[in-house]
Amino acid sequence: MKKTHTLALALCAAALAAFSACGGNGSNSDFHLGAGGSGGGSGGSGSGSGGSLLGDDGGGPGSGILGDAACATASAGASLVPVMLVFMFDRSGSMDQQSKWTSCSQGLTAFFSDANSKGLLASLQFFEQPDQCNVTAYAAPLVPMTPLPSGNFAGPIAATSPQGETPTLPALQGALQYAAQEQKINPTAKVAVVLVTDGEPNVCNSTIQAVSGAAQAAAASIPTYVIGIGNVTNLDMIAAAGGTKTAFIVSTTNPQQTVADFQKALSTIKGSALSCEYTVPAAPQGQSIDFNKINVVYTSSSGAQTVLPYNKDCSGNGQGWHYDNPASPTKIEICPGSCTSIMADTGAKIDVELGCDTLGGVQ
C-alpha cells in the first residue's frame, strides 16, 4: 500500500495537557483507504514501502498489526480538520501602561510567525475603531484569515498604537460575525474567537453581562477564549459563557514575564483549539467506503503500535475513537483519553486504516 498523505501535527507542550488536543512536535497522520495486497511490495510503512499495517509486505497474511493482510482494496488521502482563530485585540489607552502593549504585541507577533503555529489559520482586528460602536467595523479584519506561520501580521501590529476606550461588546460581536462567515465558507473547520483585553468593557453598552451574553449565544458552534492582561479576573464570566471555562490572566509585573505569560496563554489556546478530528477521506471514483471497516492505529515514539477500539460514547476510560455522526460520518474523532496520551508523546503518529473490520465493531 502506498503512503498517500502525511500531515504535521502542531507541537503540544505539557501546559496543554488539560485540553483535548492531539499531536506532537514532528508527529504526522497517515491516512490509507485500503491496502493493496500485491504489486511491487507496496505497504503502509512510514516510508510508503516495505513493512505494512494492512498491506502485503511479503510476510504473508497476518504480518500486519491488524492480522489480516488481504482485507483492503484501495487507497485515498484525508486531512486534519482546519482550525481558524479570530483574534480581537484591545488597543485601548490603558494598554499603554506597564509595558502591556509592547509586551503583548511582541508575544502576538511571535505567535503568528512561529513555526510551531503551523496547521492553524488566524485573522486579526483591533478595538477600538474610529466608529467604535459599529459592529461592521470589527467584522472586517485588518488581517484576514491567513495560514500560519506568516509574517503578514508584523506590519499591522507595529503600525498600531494604544488609544481610546474599550467597546468590547461590538468588538466581540464583530469577531463572532466574521467567525460565523468563515465557518459557513469552511463548514468542516473548527473556528474560535480569541478576545485579548486589559480591562472591563465600557462604552457602546459594553458590560460584562452583555459581552457574556454575546459569547454565550455563539458558544455552541464558535467558542470564545479570553486573555486578560492584568487584574481582570471577572473576565472569567465571558470565557465561561463562551464555552472555554476561565480567562487566561497575564501578569504585568515586568515586560519579560508579560511576554512569557502571553505566549503561554496562546500556546494553551492553540492546543485547546486543535483537536483529534480528521475528515473521512473520499472514496476512489466508482467505489464507496465501508464505515464498518475503519481502524485507527497509534504508533508511539518507541515504535509500539496499538489499534484503538471504536468507542461510540468515549465511555469507560475515554479510550478509542468514534464518528461525528454514525449514520452519516464526515469526521473521525479520537476520544479524550487516547488523545491526551497521544498528546503527551511528542513522537506519536496516528494512522487511519480503512478496509479491515473495525476493532470493537461500529454500533
Side-chain angles (χ1 to χ4, degrees):
M1 174 173 53
K2 180 176 66 176
K3 180 177 178 181
T4 58
H5 193 56
T6 301
L7 295 165
L9 297 182
L11 173 67
C12 291
L16 311 186
F19 296 89
S20 298
C22 272
N25 189 21
S27 298
N28 51 70
S29 300
D30 300 332
F31 289 80
H32 306 281
L33 175 58
S38 63
S42 60
S45 70
S47 63
S49 61
S52 70
L53 296 176
L54 291 177
D56 184 355
D57 63 354
S63 60
I65 187 172
L66 298 177
D68 187 347
C71 56
T73 59
S75 64
S79 61
L80 284 168
V81 171
V83 175
M84 301 178 169
L85 300 178
V86 177
F87 281 82
M88 183 57 66
F89 199 99
D90 183 358
R91 65 161 187 162
S92 60
S94 58
M95 284 290 288
D96 205 21
Q97 302 170 2
Q98 299 174 299
S99 301
K100 288 183 287 186
W101 179 259
T102 301
S103 300
C104 295
S105 59
Q106 178 182 333
L108 193 60
T109 301
F111 174 79
F112 288 135
S113 61
D114 191 341
N116 287 327
S117 293
K118 185 177 181 180
L120 298 175
L121 296 92
S123 67
L124 176 66
Q125 183 54 285
F126 298 98
F127 66 107
E128 66 169 10
Q129 291 295 318
D131 190 2
Q132 65 178 3
C133 296
N134 185 357
V135 172
T136 303
Y138 302 105
L142 183 62
V143 181
M145 195 60 67
T146 302
L148 301 182
S150 172
N152 293 350
F153 297 84
I157 292 173
T160 303
S161 59
Q163 61 181 351
E165 299 181 276
T166 313
T168 313
L169 179 59
L172 179 59
Q173 290 172 328
L176 290 168
Q177 183 176 312
Y178 178 69
Q181 173 186 320
E182 288 296 320
Q183 183 77 81
K184 185 176 181 179
I185 297 171
N186 305 280
T188 63
K190 293 190 68 175
V191 185
V193 169
V194 182
L195 177 67
V196 184
T197 181
D198 77 327
E200 294 187 20
N202 59 40
V203 305
C204 308
N205 299 314
S206 297
T207 64
I208 291 291
Q209 291 73 21
V211 176
S212 296
Q216 186 173 30
S221 57
I222 302 172
T224 296
Y225 295 92
V226 181
I227 300 179
I229 313 301
N231 186 19
V232 287
T233 54
N234 56 358
L235 294 182
D236 283 347
M237 185 182 296
I238 300 174
T244 57
K245 298 182 180 179
T246 60
F248 300 90
I249 305 303
V250 174
S251 170
T252 56
T253 55
N254 65 71
Q256 288 185 336
Q257 188 62 50
T258 303
V259 170
D261 286 353
F262 188 72
Q263 290 183 319
K264 181 178 179 181
L266 287 172
S267 294
T268 304
I269 289 171
K270 177 184 70 175
S272 175
L274 289 172
S275 68
C276 290
E277 294 184 2
Y278 307 89
T279 55
V280 175
Q285 187 174 2
Q287 301 185 42
S288 61
I289 294 177
D290 185 343
F291 292 103
N292 293 291
K293 294 182 179 294
I294 291 180
N295 284 280
V296 177
V297 181
Y298 161 47
T299 303
S300 71
S301 55
S302 67
Q305 294 182 322
T306 303
V307 182
L308 302 178
Y310 184 84
N311 187 348
K312 179 180 179 181
D313 301 314
C314 291
S315 56
N317 59 6
Q319 301 292 322
W321 63 278
H322 60 93
Y323 292 119
D324 60 332
N325 179 2
S328 182
T330 61
K331 298 177 186 176
I332 293 168
E333 302 177 347
I334 299 179
C335 295
S338 295
C339 196
T340 299
S341 299
I342 294 167
M343 176 186 63
D345 184 352
T346 58
K349 186 176 72 170
I350 292 292
D351 296 294
V352 177
E353 301 282 355
L354 291 81
C356 295
D357 290 339
T358 301
L359 180 67
V362 178
Q363 299 177 357

